[in-house]
Amino acid sequence: MDFQGTISDINIPYVNVRYQPIQNFQISLISPIGTEVILYDRNCFTTDLVNIGFDDDAPQTIQCPPTMQTVYQPANPLAAFENQGTQGVWQLKTRVLQSGFGSPGRVDDWSIEFCAAASPTVPVVSRNEPLCVRPLESAQLNNQLLQVTDATQSPFDLEYTVVSLPQGGTLSFLGNTLGVGDVFRQSSIDAGNVVYTHTDENVTSDQFAFIVQDGTGGFVPVTLFEIVGSYLRSQCYGGSDGWLFQRFPQPYQ
């Protein structure tokens, strides 16, 4: 489960498990932090199928045979999971209580649903350094200059949206000019696929603005990225002479 939230209610809409005899096994649910709740506990005798759901608010305890996809109260309350987090691995566990007695079984299907208050992680701008570009030339953005990180989301999940455009040049992604509202990702920056091209020699410094969203509700508010021309090279490199070149691997080696 990728979504991060605090549980206020949890239900199991259905489980579909086969084992013979069903009076000899349990079904339980285990949360990412290890809390275990027994859902089915040797309740019925006359079938090899358990095909029901579980909800603390269901009107009935488990009725036999448990084969009609009806939702019942679990053997132990699912409320034990309230106030825990949703994110992580949830496990449906079946346990045979008397070894050597019964035929092989299987779990065919099951599902889980939550009511949970979202608590998204917040992406962070970990690098935001000026991009230096020669007059009327192009330069790649890279993650040494601009990088947003998130504790739970990958670079592909971190989505930049352009809020305002540079005035002395263009911003492009894979050769396509970007406009206000267009999108690229942190993974695009990591790959060197976002490029600024200087087009107006009268503009010696430039900038564009962006926001970042991580797909879970976390976001970076409007942030500026600065672009500096060679006229102001000391602002980029801390010195008044020389030019710093960056070497990139050849694409075919």
Side-chain angles (χ1 to χ4, degrees), residues 13 29 49 79 81 84 98 101 170 180 190 211 222:
L29 180 67
L49 175 65
F81 297 119
Q84 294 188 22
Q98 183 178 348
F101 178 60
T170 60
V180 171
D190 296 348
I211 62 171
V222 177

Side-chain angles (χ1 to χ4, degrees), residues 43-117:
N43 294 81
C44 299
F45 295 86
T46 58
T47 179
D48 66 349
L49 175 65
V50 176
N51 188 8
I52 56 178
F54 301 98
D55 185 336
D56 286 350
D57 297 324
Q60 292 181 303
T61 57
I62 296 171
Q63 306 294 303
C64 300
T67 59
M68 302 301 293
Q69 299 182 336
T70 306
V71 176
Y72 296 115
Q73 297 170 23
N76 293 328
L78 288 161
F81 297 119
E82 289 181 7
N83 298 315
Q84 294 188 22
T86 57
Q87 191 173 48
V89 178
W90 290 80
Q91 302 175 68
L92 188 74
K93 175 182 175 182
T94 59
R95 175 167 42 183
V96 176
L97 301 174
Q98 183 178 348
S99 61
F101 178 60
S103 59
R106 66 179 187 270
V107 177
D108 286 331
D109 203 4
W110 70 288
S111 70
I112 188 170
E113 64 182 17
F114 305 101
C115 289

Side-chain angles (χ1 to χ4, degrees), residues 230-250:
S230 62
Y231 312 100
L232 301 173
R233 71 181 73 174
S234 63
Q235 291 188 16
C236 292
Y237 306 118
S240 60
D241 54 6
W243 187 271
L244 178 63
F245 288 93
Q246 289 182 294
R247 292 178 62 86
F248 294 91
Q250 294 296 321

